[in-house]
Amino acid sequence: MNPTEREKIERLMRSDRQERPPDDLLVRLREDLPDQAKIPDPDKRERESYFGRPSVWLTAASLAMLFTFTFMLSRITFLDQSTEPDIVTILEQQRRATKISQSAADETPVGAAARRRPADELEPQASTPEATLESAPATAVVADPQPQSPPARVSVVEEKTREERSESAAIGESRESSAVAAAPPPPAAAGAPLARSVSRPAVVRKARLAEEISLPAELRVVFTVDASGRVVEVSVQSQPGLPRREEVESILGQWTFEPGRPGSFELLVQSSDLQPLPG
Amino acid sequence: MDQSASAPPDAAEKELMRRMAAGDRDAAERMLESTYEQIWRALYRMTGDRDQAADLTQDAYRKAWQSIASFDGRSLFSTWLYRIAYTTFLNSLRRPRLVEPLSEETERTATSPDMAADQTVLEHERERRTRAAVMELPDELRFVITAHYWGGLPISEIARAAGITAMGVRKRLRRAQNTLATVLGDLR
C-alpha cells in the first residue's frame, strides 16, 4: 500500500463531520448512573495483579533455584579446596616430578651416568646379609621405574635362595602380576628417588599366606616402617567386598623391612610403582 | 476529526478512577460526562444511525455499571467502556432490530441540512461503503481499526484491551488498512 492509498484510508476512517449525540442522551445516562458506582481500587488491583501473575512467581522461583545452586556449588568448591590433598594425589605428583627430573637428567651425559649408577650400586648392596630374605622377610626389591631398565630387579632376584627360586617358579611369579611394596631409597639414590617394587608372589610368600588371599587391584595401602624395620602403622583404602583392613594389616604386620630406613610407603597392587611419602 | 481529543487525558482519568474507587459518585458522573460522546461517536460510525448509537450507548453504560466490580484497573476506564460498547454493538447485529431507522434520505436531511445535496450523497455513500468494508474485516482486525479510528484509543490502550503487544496492534492496523485499500480502491 503506497502512501496515497494510506492517506485515503485514513481520510475515510476519520470523518471530518463533528457529529453530536442526541441532547437527551446525557440525561438518560445520568438517570442510569447508580448511587454506588464504585470501582475497585486500581492501585491495589495493580499490585494484586502483578503478584498474581504466574510469570512473576516463575521468575522468582527460577532466581531462587539459581541462587541456591550457585551457593551450593560455591560451598562444594570451597570444601574441595579447603581439604588437604589426599596421599594418593601427593604421591602421584611426586612420582611425576621424579620422572620429569629423571628424564631431564637423562638428557645430559652426567645425568645418564648418574642414572646408571644406582643399578650398579644396588648389586653389592643387595648382596649384604641384611638384604637377604631370611634376615628381612619382606626385603624390598629395588627396581628402576623405567620398564626398559630392569638391572636392579634382576640383581635382587639373584639374591634369592635356590629354594625360593623354585618357589617362585611354582607360584608363577611374573612381572605382570606384581604387587608393590616399598623400602627406603638407597643412599646412592637419595638425590633421585626411585620407585620400588616387589612381586606379589613374594609378598604372599613372605607373609606365609596362601596365594588365594592375593591383594586386589584397587587396593592402596600406606604403611609406615620404623627404624627397626617393623610396620608400625597401616592405612588401607579398599573398595567394599575386597579384603578387610584387618587382613591387610595382619599381612603387613608380619613384614620386616630393612632396618635403619624408616618412612611411610604406599603399596599399590599391580601398579608396580611405590613411592615414599614426603618427609 | 481527532476523536481522542474528547477523551479525558490519562492523568485526569486516572484521578477520576481513584476517586471512583473511593466511592465518589461525583467522580463517576464526571467520568460519564467525559466519555459518553466518544462512545456514542464510535457506535455511530459502526451503526450509521444516531438513535441506534444512542440506544447502544445507554446499553453499554448500563452493562458497565452492573459489572463495575469486574473492572480490573489494568486499562483506562474509557478503554474498558469502549470494549463493552463494541461488544454491545456486535450483539446488536445478531438481534432483530425493533425500530427501523429513518430512511437515508430523511436522515441526510435531518443530520446535514446545510450540506449540498451532492456532497451529502457522496459523503454518506463513502461512509456506508467504508462501514460495510470495516464490518467485513476479520474480528481481530475490525476491533483494532475501529478502536483506533472510531474509538480514538491510543495504541497502548488497544493493546491492553486486545491482549496483544503494541507492535501487534500496528501490524493488525496495517493489515486492516491494506484490506480496506483493496476493497475501497475506487472511492475518492
Side-chain angles (χ1 to χ4, degrees):
Chain A
M1 186 171 64
N2 57 48
T4 308
E5 289 176 325
R6 185 186 300 274
E7 285 176 11
K8 188 178 77 172
I9 295 302
E10 297 241 347
R11 196 178 65 249
L12 287 173
M13 292 299 294
R14 298 181 195 276
S15 173
D16 289 334
R17 287 188 295 156
Q18 282 288 349
E19 298 289 348
R20 297 284 304 170
D23 295 336
D24 64 335
L25 179 58
L26 183 57
V27 178
R28 288 156 59 190
L29 294 174
R30 277 184 176 144
E31 287 174 356
D32 292 338
L33 186 64
D35 293 335
Q36 278 290 327
K38 184 178 178 181
I39 64 172
D41 186 355
D43 295 335
K44 187 181 174 185
R45 278 296 184 104
E46 194 168 352
R47 285 194 301 271
E48 287 176 351
S49 62
Y50 180 78
F51 287 108
R53 290 177 197 165
S55 59
V56 173
W57 288 105
L58 281 175
T59 305
S62 302
L63 286 174
M65 288 176 65
L66 186 64
F67 176 77
T68 307
F69 178 74
T70 308
F71 177 74
M72 291 176 67
L73 197 63
S74 65
R75 288 291 299 168
I76 290 171
T77 307
F78 172 74
L79 289 174
D80 189 38
Q81 289 174 347
S82 64
T83 53
E84 294 180 359
D86 61 311
I87 195 67
V88 177
T89 308
I90 292 175
L91 292 172
E92 184 65 22
Q93 289 172 349
Q94 193 181 23
R95 188 168 69 87
R96 285 178 187 167
T98 303
K99 283 186 176 177
I100 290 171
S101 63
Q102 253 185 343
S103 59
D106 287 348
E107 291 174 359
T108 63
V110 176
R115 185 169 168 269
R116 280 193 302 274
R117 190 173 53 197
D120 298 339
E121 290 175 352
L122 279 173
E123 196 162 1
Q125 186 189 7
S127 62
T128 58
E130 298 86 47
T132 60
L133 293 171
E134 286 75 16
S135 59
T139 297
V141 177
V142 180
D144 194 304
Q146 302 294 330
Q148 63 271 24
S149 54
R153 185 179 183 83
V154 172
S155 66
V156 175
V157 170
E158 286 175 351
E159 283 300 313
K160 293 180 180 178
T161 62
R162 194 170 299 163
E163 179 189 345
E164 283 175 331
R165 284 183 189 174
S166 60
E167 275 186 43
S168 297
I171 292 170
E173 180 175 357
S174 64
R175 188 182 182 88
E176 288 74 18
S177 63
S178 61
V180 187
L194 298 174
R196 286 139 192 96
S197 64
V198 66
S199 64
R200 181 202 298 221
V203 172
V204 173
R205 185 170 60 252
K206 288 299 130 188
R208 300 186 185 284
L209 295 168
E211 193 176 10
E212 54 266 29
I213 312 180
S214 58
L215 300 177
E218 294 80 3
L219 184 67
R220 280 196 179 89
V221 181
V222 177
F223 56 94
T224 303
V225 179
D226 62 6
S228 65
R230 302 283 302 175
V231 177
V232 294
E233 187 177 345
V234 177
S235 172
V236 180
Q237 297 174 9
S238 66
Q239 294 180 350
L242 296 176
R244 291 176 305 172
R245 177 192 181 91
E246 292 79 13
E247 291 176 357
V248 179
E249 284 182 344
S250 68
I251 294 171
L252 293 176
Q254 299 174 36
W255 290 5
T256 301
F257 288 81
E258 192 173 358
R261 294 183 179 167
S264 295
F265 308 92
E266 184 183 24
L267 183 92
L268 296 174
V269 177
Q270 286 187 346
S271 71
S272 76
D273 285 337
L274 187 65
Q275 294 289 333
L277 291 175
Chain B
M1 179 183 69
D2 188 6
Q3 293 174 340
S4 62
S6 60
D10 285 5
E13 185 168 348
K14 285 179 179 173
E15 175 58 27
L16 284 177
M17 287 165 64
R18 271 189 283 275
R19 289 172 57 191
M20 287 174 71
D24 187 348
R25 191 180 185 279
D26 183 55
E29 194 167 335
R30 291 279 303 280
M31 182 71 83
L32 169 66
E33 291 169 357
S34 61
T35 55
Y36 87 100
E37 286 192 22
Q38 179 189 6
I39 297 295
W40 177 84
R41 280 199 193 96
L43 288 169
Y44 175 60
R45 295 302 306 270
M46 293 178 204
T47 60
D49 187 323
R50 294 170 54 83
D51 293 327
Q52 189 187 5
D55 290 344
L56 291 177
T57 302
Q58 193 171 10
D59 284 350
Y61 273 93
R62 282 176 181 162
K63 289 177 186 172
W65 301 134
Q66 286 169 4
S67 57
I68 196 168
S70 66
F71 174 61
D72 59 9
R74 289 180 189 172
S75 63
L76 293 176
F77 193 75
S78 56
T79 305
W80 184 66
L81 277 173
Y82 177 81
R83 184 82 212 191
I84 293 175
Y86 181 77
T87 307
T88 304
F89 163 72
L90 292 181
N91 289 337
S92 73
L93 295 180
R94 303 184 187 107
R95 286 198 306 259
R97 301 182 65 176
L98 301 177
V99 180
E100 286 296 319
L102 296 173
S103 66
E104 282 195 7
E105 192 66 29
T106 311
E107 188 179 8
R108 262 182 251 131
T109 308
T111 55
S112 311
D114 300 331
M115 292 181 78
D118 290 348
Q119 283 183 336
T120 304
V121 169
L122 283 175
E123 181 73 18
H124 280 269
E125 177 61 15
R126 274 200 293 266
E127 286 185 3
R128 187 191 65 77
R129 285 195 57 189
T130 301
R131 184 164 47 248
V134 168
M135 292 305 141
E136 290 298 318
L137 289 172
D139 186 58
E140 75 266 14
L141 302 185
R142 185 173 56 203
F143 173 75
V144 167
I145 200 163
T146 56
H148 182 63
Y149 288 109
W150 297 348
L153 300 183
I155 297 289
S156 58
E157 285 296 305
I158 298 172
R160 285 196 186 97
I164 58 176
T165 62
M167 183 62 73
V169 172
R170 289 194 179 89
K171 284 182 179 177
R172 289 185 182 183
L173 274 176
R174 214 166 298 133
R175 283 169 54 201
Q177 287 169 344
N178 289 338
T179 307
L180 291 178
T182 305
V183 175
L184 305 175
D186 58 326
L187 279 183
R188 290 185 178 181

